[in-house]
Every structure is written in structure tokens, then in C-alpha cells.
Amino acid sequence: MARLSGGAIQQNWGVEATLDSAPQRWVLRTDNATTLAVSRSRVEEFALLRAAHEAGVTVAEPLFCCADAGVAGAPFFVMRRVAGTASGHALAKAAAARGGNTALAAAHGRELARIHRIRPPRAELAFLGHNDFIAEMRARLDDAGTPRPALEWGLRHMERNAPPALPPVLLHRDFRSGNVMVDGDAVTAVLDWEFAGWGDPYEDLGWFTARCWRFGQDHLEAGGIGPLDAFLAGYAAEAGWTPDPARVRYWQLGATIRWAVIAADQALRHISGQERSLELALTGHMVPGLEWEVLEMANAGTP
Amino acid sequence: MPERPDAPDLLATARALLLESLLPALPRERQLEARMIARAMEIAARPAPPAATVLAGATAMIRAGQADPGEPAHAALLAAIREELRARCAVSDPRAIREKTP
């Protein structure tokens, strides 16, 4: 077993095992000592992964799940290990060097559309909440206790300009470059399902394409990988309907607000002593720049 | 009077040593940590922004729609928010403001 590069919240371990004398390459996923309260449990993430796998989403095949913390210190699950890398910066740099990767942007669109084909009610996903975005952001800002008028300004703008709600679908809620394993021009696994919930499909479209997730390649609107229209065309091919770019931009504002809220919460984990970390501390210093961008978007006539 | 060099000078000098001398000698997989330390020193060397008292009560006003376009408070509150944010960006992320101006 060897520790793989993991997130701030979870740990991933590479496992070489032998099953009926056949060699297996697996990944064991479990929690860090401290976990974000809004993050899903490993058992729930396993159920999401199974639902996604059955719906044809490209994920690492989920194999076993152990809810008993007595076995490994925390609940864990095991999935098949897949090839590829998931570095947002490296992908964006490589895509920009060739003037944008249209094929890979479209592949991301197709994957997201497959996720959105999963619709409530689903008995095995009964733990998922319905997401009221603006109310949730305001509650999190209140809980954090630091007034952030620029984010309030952005949320009020969203409230005043809200388009009619679409029927809820399964949202990944962290579908961005860096959370999708890629090999060449192909997606090999959609990762990190712990923030999933039911909601408006445009929320995920805005998250993937927001400037904060373009890894320095601002001109490649689809995740720093390729053009927006290629991503939306990939989505349309799999979804059977074409997203409205104006509504995607409305949710890019939502994405920037939400990332600012999450970044501020991550800094609080450091400040409170819950998890002392320079990375979390520096994430807090990204918040003012994000707030500035929110104000800019909310006052730029974003629909 | 405290002994010179002062805190910003010390941090800038230490940061330059870290980036110019230590960083190139580090293995690739440890270079991100050195860059994070350099970034922390850069932020810490800047003077803290003043507390913005003019924004007390802004949250409630905005949520109640009292700062919406067309409301009397709209322009003044927006200007105050920008000013406070400009000061915080100057410490945490000056490039955010240089890139675009609302």
C-alpha cells in the first residue's frame, strides 16, 4: 500500500492485491482525521459512485465498502485504479500549448451530461439533499461569522435575476479540472463525489467553466482546457438539449461566490486550530480577489 | 525605536534567499512547499488594511434589497464595498485588481 496524491479532506492509498491469484490494482479511499462537515461520508460516496457507474459515467469501478471504523481507523471503500492524471495546472498548460483541447473539452461535457441523467427520487441516494443555492450560501456566510458584503452583493444579484428553476438532477458540485482523471484526450474517471446533491444542472456547468477553475488559462473558458462551445456541444450531444451560454454565465457568478465561501471556510479550519496548514491559510488569502471578481461580475450586467 | 531592518525588510530578504538560493536546490516535489512559504512571507510583509466600519449593517441591507439598483443607498454602498475590498486585495492578492477594474 502507498499513499497517493489526495485532497485536503480525504486520503487515497494505492493497493496492490491478489484476488483468486489474479493481480489487482485498487485505490482505497478514506478520511483525514478532520473532515469538512458538509462532506459526504465514504459510505455515501460509494453509493454515488455505484449510481454513476450504472448511469454510464466514466468512474473508477466501485468494488467494496467498509462502514466499520474498527477495521482501518475510519470507514473506507475500494475502487479499481485507473490510468491518467488529475492535475488542473498541468492539463491547462498542455491544452494552452496546443491552442486549446477541443476534444477533451467535449469529453468533459459528455461526462457531465451523463451525471445529470440521474434524477430524483432514488432510494439508494436518499441521503442527498435538495440544494437551495442562495439560502445555503447565506447560511454558510452567517456560520463563518465574517461579513462579506461583496459576496452578499453577488447573491442578491443572483436572487434578483434568477431564471426559472429546472427540474433537479444529480449535481457533482465539484466537477472541475483537477477532479477528473484524464489520459490523453480521454476522461478516465470522474473523481471526488463528496459534495454531490440534487439541483439545477447549470450549477455544475458554471462551476466547470468559472474563471477560478481555469488554472491560469483564462481564455480557455471550459476549465482551462478548451472553448466553451466545444464543452457545451459535448454536453448537448449526451443530454439531448443545448445549454444557454447566458445561463452558464449566471452560474459562473454562483461558482465564484461558492468558491469564495469554501476558501474562507478552509482558512477558518486553520485559524480555529482544527487543522493547522499553510495551504489552508493561503487559501484564505484568495478570498479578497474572488470577492473582487464577484463584484465585477455582478455589476457587468450578468443576466 | 525598534532595531532596523524592520519586519517587511527581514521578510523580503528571507524570501529572496528562499526563492533564489534554496528553491533551485530542492527536489521538484518539495518546490511547491517553498513557493507557499514565499507567498506567505510576501503577504505577511504588507501592512494590514484598516478595519472597515462603514460596512457594518451592509449584509442586512443588501439581503433586504435596500441596496438594489435604483435604491438611494446603492451607489454609496457599492463604492464603500469596493474601497474596503481594494485595501484587502492590496494585501492578499494585488493582481486581482490589476487584471480588471469593476
Side-chain angles (χ1 to χ4, degrees):
Chain A
M1 249 172 85
R3 177 103 190 239
L4 306 173
S5 59
I9 307 158
Q10 277 80 40
Q11 296 179 9
N12 297 310
W13 295 83
V15 179
E16 308 267 342
T18 306
L19 187 66
D20 298 333
S21 61
Q24 307 285 330
R25 281 168 61 77
W26 293 340
V27 172
L28 184 154
R29 189 159 156 85
T30 188
D31 293 309
N32 270 347
T34 54
T35 306
L36 275 180
V38 291
S39 156
R40 305 243 82 88
S41 77
R42 279 332 95 223
V43 177
E44 291 167 351
E45 196 180 359
F46 184 76
L48 279 161
L49 218 44
R50 280 179 85 152
H53 187 67
E54 283 161 17
V57 181
T58 307
V59 290
E61 186 188 348
L63 299 169
F64 330 103
C65 184
C66 175
D68 183 354
V71 177
F76 67 92
F77 68 82
V78 174
M79 55 192 167
R80 212 174 285 289
R81 190 164 175 178
V82 295
T85 54
S87 162
H89 282 288
L91 274 172
K93 210 172 157 186
R98 53 191 268 195
N101 188 337
T102 302
L104 188 56
H108 279 79
R110 290 194 297 274
E111 290 302 332
L112 192 53
R114 289 180 191 129
I115 296 169
H116 291 172
R117 283 202 298 242
I118 302 169
R119 287 167 185 255
R122 293 279 292 251
E124 79 278 25
L125 301 178
F127 55 88
L128 292 178
H130 279 266
N131 163 34
D132 178 342
F133 181 83
I134 294 171
E136 184 197 326
M137 291 302 109
R138 285 177 176 158
R140 285 182 69 171
L141 284 165
D142 289 343
D143 287 347
T146 302
R148 298 198 183 271
L151 301 186
E152 299 289 347
W153 197 273
L155 287 168
R156 178 64 186 157
H157 178 89
M158 288 185 77
E159 191 171 54
R160 286 190 298 109
N161 295 281
L166 292 181
V169 300
L170 181 68
L171 299 184
H172 182 282
R173 298 197 91 205
D174 203 9
F175 188 91
R176 59 164 175 87
S177 193
N179 281 340
V180 180
M181 193 86 100
V182 166
D183 196 8
D185 289 348
V187 169
T188 54
V190 179
L191 311 171
D192 293 338
W193 291 78
E194 66 266 24
F195 296 108
W198 306 116
D200 187 322
Y202 277 99
E203 185 183 332
D204 272 347
L205 290 162
W207 187 255
F208 185 75
T209 61
R211 207 172 73 102
C212 49
W213 296 125
R214 293 181 204 155
F215 297 92
Q217 305 300 331
D218 290 352
H219 63 295
L220 300 174
E221 209 175 348
I225 290 171
L228 180 65
D229 57 359
F231 170 69
L232 295 183
Y235 187 95
E238 205 59 37
W241 61 280
T242 305
D244 171 8
R247 202 158 162 172
V248 173
R249 283 197 193 93
Y250 171 90
W251 277 105
Q252 287 176 353
L253 170 60
T256 313
I257 293 170
R258 181 163 162 250
W259 173 223
V261 167
I262 292 172
D265 281 352
Q266 290 194 353
L268 268 184
R269 286 165 65 205
H270 169 80
I271 295 162
S272 69
Q274 188 188 12
E275 186 182 349
R276 300 289 292 172
S277 146
L278 183 56
E279 187 180 2
L280 294 177
L282 289 174
T283 302
H285 283 276
M286 294 170 66
V287 177
L290 291 165
E291 289 183 65
W292 186 266
E293 195 180 350
V294 164
L295 208 56
E296 178 182 278
M297 291 168 97
N299 290 295
T302 312
Chain B
M1 187 174 181
E3 195 63 36
R4 289 187 300 167
D6 62 6
D9 186 329
L10 282 172
L11 283 165
T13 309
R15 180 172 179 272
L17 185 65
L18 173 66
L19 287 177
E20 286 157 25
S21 174
L22 211 49
L23 180 71
L26 285 172
R28 263 182 82 103
E29 68 272 17
R30 307 302 301 268
Q31 291 190 356
L32 178 64
E33 287 168 78
R35 286 186 202 285
M36 288 200 305
I37 293 165
R39 172 126 180 77
M41 294 166 96
E42 186 182 28
I43 295 169
R46 298 186 185 122
T53 48
V54 290
L55 291 175
T59 295
M61 277 183 72
I62 295 165
R63 288 187 189 179
Q66 291 164 4
D68 285 355
E71 294 291 331
H74 176 85
L77 187 59
L78 183 57
I81 293 171
R82 272 188 187 142
E83 193 186 339
E84 188 263 355
L85 208 42
R86 204 182 288 275
R88 282 199 290 128
C89 284
V91 176
S92 300
D93 189 5
R95 278 186 309 176
I97 293 184
R98 276 203 294 272
E99 279 169 20
K100 278 179 189 174
T101 303

